[in-house]
Amino acid sequence: MPYRKKLNFTTDGLKAAATAIERLRNFKLRLETEKFPEGSDHNILLRTETALRQFEESLDDDLNTAEALAAVFEFVRDANTAMDSGVFHAANAGPALDLLNRFDRIFAVLEVNRKETGISGADVERLIAERVQAKKNRDFPRSDQIRQELLDGGVILEDTKEGVRWKRK
């Protein structure tokens, strides 16, 4: 939607925006933490370049943010599908992250403000280590208490086969 058009703000619209931001943050987390097969898939590199070009051209077209957002979200959908099917490779993650970083230089929504959550990354890591130790000691009430403490501080834990991942709400 070019910047000259009027926007209609609604509660549903704000909820949809929050969901979209969460989707982008989850995709970024997946790129940063998931283990992909070594190498590169040429088609995904081309798809990433196309998404970046569409994103840039949309912004150059009278700041058409709707088309710019569509280019990024279509890429996210395609990349997630490629990840799920095993054709996304380790060398494809860097260019995908570059696209997200370019996006975030304009929209600034991927990094969570620490003041919003009230807990530092170092504190999160410390509590995760304490929780892992509590689980090893079979102190499940303490493990659950730490998970809840982190959740109350705006941090969501995900136990994966590679270990614990965390993200901010």
Side-chain angles (χ1 to χ4, degrees), residues 14-105:
L14 291 175
K15 287 178 186 175
T19 300
I21 290 168
E22 185 65 20
R23 183 174 171 213
L24 288 171
R25 287 177 179 169
N26 286 339
F27 178 68
K28 183 178 181 200
L29 180 66
R30 188 174 187 189
L31 286 170
E32 293 171 335
T33 61
E34 195 163 314
K35 304 285 189 248
F36 301 109
E38 289 300 316
S40 173
D41 183 282
H42 181 70
N43 290 329
I44 293 172
L45 289 176
L46 290 176
R47 179 66 187 95
T48 307
E49 290 171 9
T50 299
L52 180 59
R53 187 182 70 253
Q54 290 170 335
F55 176 76
E56 298 282 347
E57 288 173 357
S58 297
L59 292 176
D60 289 343
D61 180 22
D62 204 19
L63 201 59
N64 191 335
T65 56
E67 283 190 23
L69 291 170
V72 171
F73 279 100
E74 288 172 12
F75 170 75
V76 169
R77 183 196 64 227
D78 293 347
N80 274 321
T81 299
M83 290 174 187
D84 293 342
S85 64
V87 297
F88 194 97
H89 290 81
N92 296 119
L97 283 167
D98 290 343
L99 171 62
L100 287 182
N101 289 332
R102 175 67 182 121
F103 168 87
D104 207 41
R105 282 195 306 257

Side-chain angles (χ1 to χ4, degrees), residues 25 28 32 101 104 108-113 116:
R25 287 177 179 169
K28 183 178 181 200
E32 293 171 335
N101 289 332
D104 207 41
V109 296
L110 294 180
E111 293 301 321
V112 177
N113 183 343
E116 292 175 17

